[in-house]
Amino acid sequence: MWSALKFLLDRASADAWQLIVAVALCLLFPALAALALWPAGEAGVGLRLLKGFGVFWVSVFVVYLVAAWVQRRLRVDLYSHPDAFVLSNLLASGALMLGWTAFAALSVQGAAAAAGLWLKGALYLLGLLSGVVACQVLGSFYTGHVYRLACLVVACAGFILFAAWPAPARAAFGWLF
């Protein structure tokens, strides 16, 4: 069995590896977060992140399919209309990333409300790092470097904005997650 698994992993493409890494990070990160926060009594944040990643995967998959369908119907591709193609993918991935940062900021804010200074810092760091994991998820669908860089910038800026000012996060994206 091990040799069959090794054979399949040797033959996997770069896109398949990206998907494998994204799935592994979405499972491993909440588990490690729960384990790290367990002594402080905040292990529920890990479970909340795990549920959030599940909803995020479904949302990314649906938005990706809808965007591809619209692009195909409008005959927009990388070779005939590269500006419209890249811009539409940037808008779709950016909106998804803003949704995730809003969810992460609201989740962390709820747990950090009655926490001490060190625990608050750890919670906000975990929320910011969850944005990097969400970038890996989006990177497995939107594979260009421009999308990955834009998603990373949106993840960092969006999390900082929504952590400092949670009202827009709740109003714009709170209903999504």
Short mmCIF file of all heavy atoms in Angstrom, two decimals, residues 43-102:
data_model
loop_
_atom_site.label_atom_id
_atom_site.label_comp_id
_atom_site.label_asym_id
_atom_site.label_seq_id
_atom_site.Cartn_x
_atom_site.Cartn_y
_atom_site.Cartn_z
N ALA A 43 -10.07 26.41 23.32
CA ALA A 43 -9.90 25.41 22.25
C ALA A 43 -11.04 25.46 21.24
O ALA A 43 -10.89 24.99 20.11
CB ALA A 43 -9.79 24.02 22.86
N GLY A 44 -12.16 26.06 21.60
CA GLY A 44 -13.28 26.18 20.69
C GLY A 44 -12.97 27.02 19.46
O GLY A 44 -13.64 26.90 18.43
N VAL A 45 -11.95 27.87 19.56
CA VAL A 45 -11.55 28.68 18.41
C VAL A 45 -11.07 27.77 17.28
O VAL A 45 -11.37 28.01 16.12
CB VAL A 45 -10.46 29.70 18.81
CG1 VAL A 45 -9.90 30.42 17.61
CG2 VAL A 45 -11.01 30.68 19.81
N GLY A 46 -10.36 26.71 17.62
CA GLY A 46 -9.89 25.76 16.60
C GLY A 46 -11.05 25.08 15.90
O GLY A 46 -11.04 24.93 14.67
N LEU A 47 -12.07 24.69 16.65
CA LEU A 47 -13.25 24.07 16.04
C LEU A 47 -14.00 25.07 15.17
O LEU A 47 -14.46 24.73 14.07
CB LEU A 47 -14.18 23.52 17.13
CG LEU A 47 -15.44 22.83 16.65
CD1 LEU A 47 -15.10 21.62 15.78
CD2 LEU A 47 -16.31 22.42 17.82
N ARG A 48 -14.09 26.31 15.61
CA ARG A 48 -14.73 27.35 14.82
C ARG A 48 -13.98 27.58 13.51
O ARG A 48 -14.58 27.75 12.45
CB ARG A 48 -14.81 28.64 15.64
CG ARG A 48 -15.92 29.55 15.21
CD ARG A 48 -16.16 30.68 16.19
NE ARG A 48 -16.08 30.25 17.58
CZ ARG A 48 -15.40 30.90 18.52
NH1 ARG A 48 -14.75 31.99 18.24
NH2 ARG A 48 -15.37 30.45 19.76
N LEU A 49 -12.64 27.57 13.59
CA LEU A 49 -11.84 27.72 12.37
C LEU A 49 -12.01 26.53 11.43
O LEU A 49 -12.07 26.70 10.21
CB LEU A 49 -10.36 27.90 12.72
CG LEU A 49 -9.94 29.25 13.30
CD1 LEU A 49 -8.48 29.22 13.72
CD2 LEU A 49 -10.19 30.36 12.31
N LEU A 50 -12.10 25.33 12.00
CA LEU A 50 -12.30 24.14 11.17
C LEU A 50 -13.62 24.20 10.43
O LEU A 50 -13.69 23.93 9.22
CB LEU A 50 -12.23 22.88 12.03
CG LEU A 50 -12.34 21.55 11.29
CD1 LEU A 50 -11.16 21.38 10.34
CD2 LEU A 50 -12.40 20.40 12.27
N LYS A 51 -14.68 24.59 11.12
CA LYS A 51 -15.99 24.76 10.47
C LYS A 51 -15.93 25.86 9.42
O LYS A 51 -16.49 25.74 8.33
CB LYS A 51 -17.07 25.09 11.50
CG LYS A 51 -17.49 23.94 12.36
CD LYS A 51 -18.71 24.36 13.16
CE LYS A 51 -18.55 24.00 14.60
NZ LYS A 51 -19.68 24.43 15.42
N GLY A 52 -15.24 26.95 9.75
CA GLY A 52 -15.09 28.05 8.81
C GLY A 52 -14.35 27.64 7.55
O GLY A 52 -14.73 28.03 6.44
N PHE A 53 -13.30 26.84 7.71
CA PHE A 53 -12.58 26.37 6.53
C PHE A 53 -13.45 25.46 5.67
O PHE A 53 -13.34 25.48 4.44
CB PHE A 53 -11.29 25.64 6.92
CG PHE A 53 -10.14 26.56 7.21
CD1 PHE A 53 -9.45 26.48 8.40
CD2 PHE A 53 -9.75 27.52 6.29
CE1 PHE A 53 -8.39 27.32 8.67
CE2 PHE A 53 -8.69 28.36 6.54
CZ PHE A 53 -8.01 28.27 7.74
N GLY A 54 -14.30 24.67 6.29
CA GLY A 54 -15.23 23.84 5.51
C GLY A 54 -16.17 24.68 4.67
O GLY A 54 -16.36 24.43 3.47
N VAL A 55 -16.75 25.70 5.28
CA VAL A 55 -17.63 26.61 4.54
C VAL A 55 -16.84 27.38 3.49
O VAL A 55 -17.31 27.60 2.37
CB VAL A 55 -18.35 27.57 5.51
CG1 VAL A 55 -19.12 28.64 4.77
CG2 VAL A 55 -19.27 26.80 6.43
N PHE A 56 -15.60 27.74 3.82
CA PHE A 56 -14.77 28.49 2.88
C PHE A 56 -14.45 27.66 1.64
O PHE A 56 -14.51 28.17 0.51
CB PHE A 56 -13.48 28.93 3.59
CG PHE A 56 -12.62 29.85 2.76
CD1 PHE A 56 -13.07 31.11 2.41
CD2 PHE A 56 -11.36 29.46 2.35
CE1 PHE A 56 -12.28 31.96 1.66
CE2 PHE A 56 -10.57 30.30 1.60
CZ PHE A 56 -11.03 31.55 1.25
N TRP A 57 -14.14 26.38 1.82
CA TRP A 57 -13.88 25.51 0.66
C TRP A 57 -15.09 25.45 -0.25
O TRP A 57 -14.96 25.55 -1.48
CB TRP A 57 -13.49 24.11 1.12
CG TRP A 57 -12.04 23.93 1.36
CD1 TRP A 57 -11.40 24.01 2.56
CD2 TRP A 57 -11.02 23.65 0.40
NE1 TRP A 57 -10.06 23.81 2.39
CE2 TRP A 57 -9.81 23.57 1.08
CE3 TRP A 57 -11.03 23.47 -0.98
CZ2 TRP A 57 -8.61 23.32 0.43
CZ3 TRP A 57 -9.83 23.21 -1.62
CH2 TRP A 57 -8.64 23.13 -0.92
N VAL A 58 -16.26 25.28 0.32
CA VAL A 58 -17.48 25.21 -0.49
C VAL A 58 -17.71 26.54 -1.20
O VAL A 58 -18.04 26.57 -2.39
CB VAL A 58 -18.69 24.81 0.38
CG1 VAL A 58 -19.99 24.92 -0.38
CG2 VAL A 58 -18.51 23.39 0.92
N SER A 59 -17.53 27.64 -0.49
CA SER A 59 -17.73 28.96 -1.09
C SER A 59 -16.76 29.21 -2.23
O SER A 59 -17.15 29.70 -3.30
CB SER A 59 -17.55 30.07 -0.04
OG SER A 59 -18.44 29.90 1.01
N VAL A 60 -15.50 28.86 -2.03
CA VAL A 60 -14.49 29.06 -3.07
C VAL A 60 -14.83 28.21 -4.29
O VAL A 60 -14.75 28.68 -5.43
CB VAL A 60 -13.07 28.73 -2.54
CG1 VAL A 60 -12.06 28.67 -3.67
CG2 VAL A 60 -12.65 29.76 -1.52
N PHE A 61 -15.22 26.98 -4.07
CA PHE A 61 -15.54 26.09 -5.18
C PHE A 61 -16.74 26.62 -5.98
O PHE A 61 -16.71 26.66 -7.21
CB PHE A 61 -15.84 24.68 -4.66
CG PHE A 61 -16.01 23.66 -5.73
CD1 PHE A 61 -14.95 23.26 -6.51
CD2 PHE A 61 -17.26 23.11 -5.97
CE1 PHE A 61 -15.11 22.31 -7.51
CE2 PHE A 61 -17.44 22.17 -6.97
CZ PHE A 61 -16.36 21.77 -7.74
N VAL A 62 -17.77 27.06 -5.29
CA VAL A 62 -18.97 27.58 -5.98
C VAL A 62 -18.65 28.87 -6.73
O VAL A 62 -19.03 29.03 -7.90
CB VAL A 62 -20.12 27.78 -4.97
CG1 VAL A 62 -21.26 28.58 -5.57
CG2 VAL A 62 -20.62 26.44 -4.46
N VAL A 63 -17.93 29.80 -6.09
CA VAL A 63 -17.60 31.06 -6.75
C VAL A 63 -16.68 30.81 -7.95
O VAL A 63 -16.84 31.43 -9.00
CB VAL A 63 -16.96 32.05 -5.76
CG1 VAL A 63 -16.33 33.24 -6.46
CG2 VAL A 63 -17.99 32.52 -4.75
N TYR A 64 -15.75 29.88 -7.81
CA TYR A 64 -14.86 29.56 -8.92
C TYR A 64 -15.64 29.00 -10.11
O TYR A 64 -15.40 29.39 -11.26
CB TYR A 64 -13.80 28.56 -8.45
CG TYR A 64 -12.82 28.18 -9.52
CD1 TYR A 64 -11.78 29.03 -9.87
CD2 TYR A 64 -12.91 26.96 -10.18
CE1 TYR A 64 -10.88 28.70 -10.85
CE2 TYR A 64 -12.02 26.61 -11.17
CZ TYR A 64 -10.99 27.48 -11.49
OH TYR A 64 -10.10 27.14 -12.48
N LEU A 65 -16.59 28.10 -9.83
CA LEU A 65 -17.39 27.53 -10.91
C LEU A 65 -18.28 28.58 -11.57
O LEU A 65 -18.40 28.62 -12.80
CB LEU A 65 -18.25 26.38 -10.39
CG LEU A 65 -17.53 25.09 -10.07
CD1 LEU A 65 -18.51 24.06 -9.51
CD2 LEU A 65 -16.79 24.54 -11.27
N VAL A 66 -18.90 29.43 -10.78
CA VAL A 66 -19.75 30.49 -11.33
C VAL A 66 -18.93 31.47 -12.15
O VAL A 66 -19.33 31.87 -13.26
CB VAL A 66 -20.54 31.20 -10.20
CG1 VAL A 66 -21.21 32.47 -10.71
CG2 VAL A 66 -21.56 30.26 -9.60
N ALA A 67 -17.77 31.86 -11.65
CA ALA A 67 -16.91 32.80 -12.40
C ALA A 67 -16.43 32.17 -13.70
O ALA A 67 -16.40 32.84 -14.74
CB ALA A 67 -15.73 33.23 -11.54
N ALA A 68 -16.06 30.89 -13.66
CA ALA A 68 -15.63 30.22 -14.89
C ALA A 68 -16.77 30.12 -15.89
O ALA A 68 -16.57 30.30 -17.10
CB ALA A 68 -15.08 28.84 -14.57
N TRP A 69 -17.98 29.87 -15.40
CA TRP A 69 -19.14 29.78 -16.29
C TRP A 69 -19.43 31.14 -16.93
O TRP A 69 -19.68 31.22 -18.13
CB TRP A 69 -20.36 29.29 -15.50
CG TRP A 69 -21.58 29.16 -16.34
CD1 TRP A 69 -21.91 28.16 -17.19
CD2 TRP A 69 -22.66 30.11 -16.41
NE1 TRP A 69 -23.11 28.41 -17.79
CE2 TRP A 69 -23.60 29.60 -17.33
CE3 TRP A 69 -22.92 31.33 -15.79
CZ2 TRP A 69 -24.77 30.27 -17.64
CZ3 TRP A 69 -24.08 31.99 -16.09
CH2 TRP A 69 -24.99 31.46 -17.01
N VAL A 70 -19.38 32.21 -16.13
CA VAL A 70 -19.62 33.55 -16.67
C VAL A 70 -18.52 33.93 -17.66
O VAL A 70 -18.82 34.47 -18.74
CB VAL A 70 -19.70 34.59 -15.52
CG1 VAL A 70 -19.66 36.01 -16.04
CG2 VAL A 70 -20.96 34.36 -14.70
N GLN A 71 -17.29 33.62 -17.35
CA GLN A 71 -16.20 33.91 -18.28
C GLN A 71 -16.36 33.14 -19.59
O GLN A 71 -16.09 33.67 -20.66
CB GLN A 71 -14.85 33.59 -17.64
CG GLN A 71 -14.46 34.55 -16.55
CD GLN A 71 -13.27 34.07 -15.77
OE1 GLN A 71 -12.86 32.91 -15.83
NE2 GLN A 71 -12.69 34.98 -14.98
N ARG A 72 -16.78 31.91 -19.49
CA ARG A 72 -17.00 31.11 -20.70
C ARG A 72 -18.16 31.66 -21.52
O ARG A 72 -18.10 31.72 -22.74
CB ARG A 72 -17.25 29.65 -20.33
CG ARG A 72 -17.07 28.71 -21.49
CD ARG A 72 -17.14 27.23 -21.10
NE ARG A 72 -16.24 26.92 -19.99
CZ ARG A 72 -16.66 26.49 -18.80
NH1 ARG A 72 -17.94 26.32 -18.55
NH2 ARG A 72 -15.80 26.20 -17.85
N ARG A 73 -19.24 32.06 -20.85
CA ARG A 73 -20.40 32.62 -21.57
C ARG A 73 -20.07 33.94 -22.25
O ARG A 73 -20.57 34.22 -23.33
CB ARG A 73 -21.57 32.84 -20.61
CG ARG A 73 -22.16 31.59 -20.01
CD ARG A 73 -23.01 30.83 -20.95
NE ARG A 73 -24.21 31.61 -21.25
CZ ARG A 73 -25.05 31.28 -22.18
NH1 ARG A 73 -24.86 30.21 -22.90
NH2 ARG A 73 -26.11 32.02 -22.41
N LEU A 74 -19.24 34.75 -21.61
CA LEU A 74 -18.86 36.03 -22.18
C LEU A 74 -17.62 35.92 -23.09
O LEU A 74 -17.15 36.93 -23.60
CB LEU A 74 -18.59 37.05 -21.07
CG LEU A 74 -19.78 37.41 -20.20
CD1 LEU A 74 -19.35 38.34 -19.08
CD2 LEU A 74 -20.88 38.04 -21.03
N ARG A 75 -17.11 34.72 -23.24
CA ARG A 75 -15.93 34.45 -24.06
C ARG A 75 -14.72 35.29 -23.61
O ARG A 75 -14.03 35.89 -24.42
CB ARG A 75 -16.23 34.66 -25.53
CG ARG A 75 -17.20 33.65 -26.08
CD ARG A 75 -17.39 33.83 -27.57
NE ARG A 75 -18.23 32.78 -28.12
CZ ARG A 75 -19.54 32.87 -28.27
NH1 ARG A 75 -20.16 33.97 -27.89
NH2 ARG A 75 -20.22 31.88 -28.78
N VAL A 76 -14.52 35.29 -22.32
CA VAL A 76 -13.38 35.99 -21.74
C VAL A 76 -12.39 34.93 -21.29
O VAL A 76 -12.70 34.09 -20.46
CB VAL A 76 -13.82 36.85 -20.53
CG1 VAL A 76 -12.63 37.43 -19.81
CG2 VAL A 76 -14.77 37.93 -20.97
N ASP A 77 -11.20 34.97 -21.89
CA ASP A 77 -10.14 34.08 -21.44
C ASP A 77 -8.82 34.83 -21.41
O ASP A 77 -8.75 36.01 -21.73
CB ASP A 77 -10.05 32.82 -22.32
CG ASP A 77 -9.74 33.12 -23.77
OD1 ASP A 77 -9.42 34.27 -24.09
OD2 ASP A 77 -9.81 32.18 -24.58
N LEU A 78 -7.78 34.13 -21.03
CA LEU A 78 -6.48 34.76 -20.84
C LEU A 78 -5.87 35.26 -22.15
O LEU A 78 -5.09 36.20 -22.15
CB LEU A 78 -5.53 33.79 -20.15
CG LEU A 78 -4.18 34.33 -19.69
CD1 LEU A 78 -4.38 35.49 -18.74
CD2 LEU A 78 -3.37 33.25 -19.05
N TYR A 79 -6.26 34.67 -23.27
CA TYR A 79 -5.63 35.01 -24.54
C TYR A 79 -6.42 36.03 -25.35
O TYR A 79 -5.83 36.84 -26.06
CB TYR A 79 -5.40 33.74 -25.36
CG TYR A 79 -4.56 32.76 -24.59
CD1 TYR A 79 -5.13 31.62 -24.03
CD2 TYR A 79 -3.22 33.00 -24.37
CE1 TYR A 79 -4.36 30.73 -23.30
CE2 TYR A 79 -2.45 32.14 -23.63
CZ TYR A 79 -3.02 31.00 -23.10
OH TYR A 79 -2.26 30.14 -22.37
N SER A 80 -7.73 36.02 -25.24
CA SER A 80 -8.51 36.99 -26.03
C SER A 80 -8.73 38.31 -25.27
O SER A 80 -8.66 39.38 -25.86
CB SER A 80 -9.86 36.38 -26.44
OG SER A 80 -10.63 36.09 -25.30
N HIS A 81 -9.03 38.23 -23.98
CA HIS A 81 -9.26 39.42 -23.15
C HIS A 81 -8.53 39.24 -21.81
O HIS A 81 -9.17 39.01 -20.78
CB HIS A 81 -10.75 39.61 -22.89
CG HIS A 81 -11.56 39.79 -24.13
ND1 HIS A 81 -11.53 40.95 -24.86
CD2 HIS A 81 -12.42 38.96 -24.76
CE1 HIS A 81 -12.34 40.82 -25.90
NE2 HIS A 81 -12.88 39.62 -25.86
N PRO A 82 -7.21 39.36 -21.82
CA PRO A 82 -6.48 39.07 -20.58
C PRO A 82 -6.78 40.05 -19.44
O PRO A 82 -6.81 39.64 -18.29
CB PRO A 82 -5.01 39.17 -21.00
CG PRO A 82 -5.00 39.96 -22.24
CD PRO A 82 -6.33 39.73 -22.90
N ASP A 83 -7.06 41.31 -19.77
CA ASP A 83 -7.34 42.28 -18.72
C ASP A 83 -8.63 41.95 -17.99
O ASP A 83 -8.71 41.97 -16.77
CB ASP A 83 -7.35 43.69 -19.26
CG ASP A 83 -8.26 43.84 -20.48
OD1 ASP A 83 -8.71 42.82 -21.03
OD2 ASP A 83 -8.52 44.99 -20.88
N ALA A 84 -9.68 41.61 -18.73
CA ALA A 84 -10.96 41.28 -18.12
C ALA A 84 -10.87 39.95 -17.35
O ALA A 84 -11.46 39.81 -16.28
CB ALA A 84 -12.05 41.19 -19.18
N PHE A 85 -10.12 39.01 -17.89
CA PHE A 85 -9.96 37.71 -17.24
C PHE A 85 -9.25 37.86 -15.89
O PHE A 85 -9.73 37.37 -14.86
CB PHE A 85 -9.19 36.76 -18.15
CG PHE A 85 -8.98 35.40 -17.59
CD1 PHE A 85 -10.00 34.47 -17.60
CD2 PHE A 85 -7.76 35.04 -17.05
CE1 PHE A 85 -9.82 33.20 -17.08
CE2 PHE A 85 -7.56 33.78 -16.52
CZ PHE A 85 -8.59 32.86 -16.54
N VAL A 86 -8.14 38.55 -15.89
CA VAL A 86 -7.37 38.73 -14.66
C VAL A 86 -8.15 39.57 -13.65
O VAL A 86 -8.20 39.24 -12.46
CB VAL A 86 -5.99 39.34 -14.97
CG1 VAL A 86 -5.26 39.75 -13.70
CG2 VAL A 86 -5.14 38.37 -15.76
N LEU A 87 -8.80 40.62 -14.12
CA LEU A 87 -9.56 41.48 -13.22
C LEU A 87 -10.73 40.73 -12.59
O LEU A 87 -10.98 40.87 -11.38
CB LEU A 87 -10.06 42.72 -13.96
CG LEU A 87 -10.78 43.75 -13.11
CD1 LEU A 87 -9.83 44.31 -12.05
CD2 LEU A 87 -11.33 44.86 -13.96
N SER A 88 -11.43 39.93 -13.37
CA SER A 88 -12.56 39.19 -12.81
C SER A 88 -12.09 38.16 -11.79
O SER A 88 -12.73 37.96 -10.75
CB SER A 88 -13.38 38.52 -13.91
OG SER A 88 -12.62 37.54 -14.58
N ASN A 89 -10.96 37.51 -12.05
CA ASN A 89 -10.42 36.55 -11.08
C ASN A 89 -9.91 37.26 -9.83
O ASN A 89 -10.05 36.74 -8.72
CB ASN A 89 -9.32 35.72 -11.71
CG ASN A 89 -9.86 34.66 -12.65
OD1 ASN A 89 -11.03 34.30 -12.58
ND2 ASN A 89 -9.02 34.17 -13.53
N LEU A 90 -9.31 38.44 -10.01
CA LEU A 90 -8.86 39.20 -8.84
C LEU A 90 -10.04 39.64 -7.97
O LEU A 90 -9.98 39.59 -6.74
CB LEU A 90 -8.06 40.42 -9.27
CG LEU A 90 -6.61 40.19 -9.64
CD1 LEU A 90 -5.99 41.46 -10.23
CD2 LEU A 90 -5.81 39.71 -8.44
N LEU A 91 -11.12 40.06 -8.61
CA LEU A 91 -12.31 40.47 -7.84
C LEU A 91 -12.93 39.29 -7.10
O LEU A 91 -13.32 39.42 -5.93
CB LEU A 91 -13.33 41.12 -8.77
CG LEU A 91 -12.99 42.51 -9.27
CD1 LEU A 91 -14.01 42.98 -10.30
CD2 LEU A 91 -12.91 43.48 -8.12
N ALA A 92 -13.03 38.15 -7.77
CA ALA A 92 -13.63 36.98 -7.13
C ALA A 92 -12.77 36.50 -5.96
O ALA A 92 -13.28 36.27 -4.86
CB ALA A 92 -13.81 35.86 -8.16
N SER A 93 -11.47 36.36 -6.18
CA SER A 93 -10.61 35.88 -5.10
C SER A 93 -10.48 36.91 -3.99
O SER A 93 -10.42 36.56 -2.80
CB SER A 93 -9.23 35.49 -5.64
OG SER A 93 -8.58 36.59 -6.21
N GLY A 94 -10.47 38.20 -4.34
CA GLY A 94 -10.40 39.24 -3.32
C GLY A 94 -11.64 39.29 -2.45
O GLY A 94 -11.56 39.47 -1.23
N ALA A 95 -12.81 39.12 -3.06
CA ALA A 95 -14.05 39.10 -2.28
C ALA A 95 -14.09 37.89 -1.35
O ALA A 95 -14.53 37.99 -0.19
CB ALA A 95 -15.26 39.10 -3.22
N LEU A 96 -13.64 36.75 -1.84
CA LEU A 96 -13.59 35.56 -0.99
C LEU A 96 -12.62 35.76 0.17
O LEU A 96 -12.91 35.37 1.31
CB LEU A 96 -13.19 34.34 -1.81
CG LEU A 96 -14.26 33.80 -2.75
CD1 LEU A 96 -13.65 32.86 -3.78
CD2 LEU A 96 -15.35 33.10 -1.97
N MET A 97 -11.48 36.37 -0.11
CA MET A 97 -10.51 36.60 0.96
C MET A 97 -11.03 37.60 1.97
O MET A 97 -10.81 37.44 3.17
CB MET A 97 -9.19 37.08 0.35
CG MET A 97 -8.10 37.25 1.38
SD MET A 97 -7.82 35.83 2.46
CE MET A 97 -7.27 34.63 1.31
N LEU A 98 -11.72 38.63 1.52
CA LEU A 98 -12.32 39.57 2.47
C LEU A 98 -13.36 38.87 3.34
O LEU A 98 -13.48 39.17 4.54
CB LEU A 98 -12.96 40.75 1.73
CG LEU A 98 -12.03 41.88 1.37
CD1 LEU A 98 -12.79 42.95 0.59
CD2 LEU A 98 -11.38 42.48 2.59
N GLY A 99 -14.12 37.95 2.76
CA GLY A 99 -15.08 37.18 3.54
C GLY A 99 -14.39 36.36 4.61
O GLY A 99 -14.85 36.31 5.76
N TRP A 100 -13.27 35.74 4.26
CA TRP A 100 -12.56 34.95 5.25
C TRP A 100 -11.97 35.84 6.35
O TRP A 100 -12.05 35.49 7.53
CB TRP A 100 -11.44 34.12 4.63
CG TRP A 100 -10.70 33.42 5.71
CD1 TRP A 100 -9.53 33.78 6.26
CD2 TRP A 100 -11.16 32.28 6.45
NE1 TRP A 100 -9.21 32.93 7.29
CE2 TRP A 100 -10.19 32.00 7.42
CE3 TRP A 100 -12.28 31.47 6.37
CZ2 TRP A 100 -10.32 30.95 8.30
CZ3 TRP A 100 -12.40 30.42 7.26
CH2 TRP A 100 -11.44 30.16 8.21
N THR A 101 -11.39 36.97 5.98
CA THR A 101 -10.80 37.83 7.00
C THR A 101 -11.86 38.38 7.94
O THR A 101 -11.60 38.53 9.14
CB THR A 101 -9.99 38.98 6.37
OG1 THR A 101 -10.85 39.75 5.53
CG2 THR A 101 -8.81 38.47 5.59
N ALA A 102 -13.04 38.64 7.41
CA ALA A 102 -14.14 39.10 8.28
C ALA A 102 -14.52 37.99 9.26
O ALA A 102 -14.70 38.25 10.46
CB ALA A 102 -15.34 39.50 7.43
#
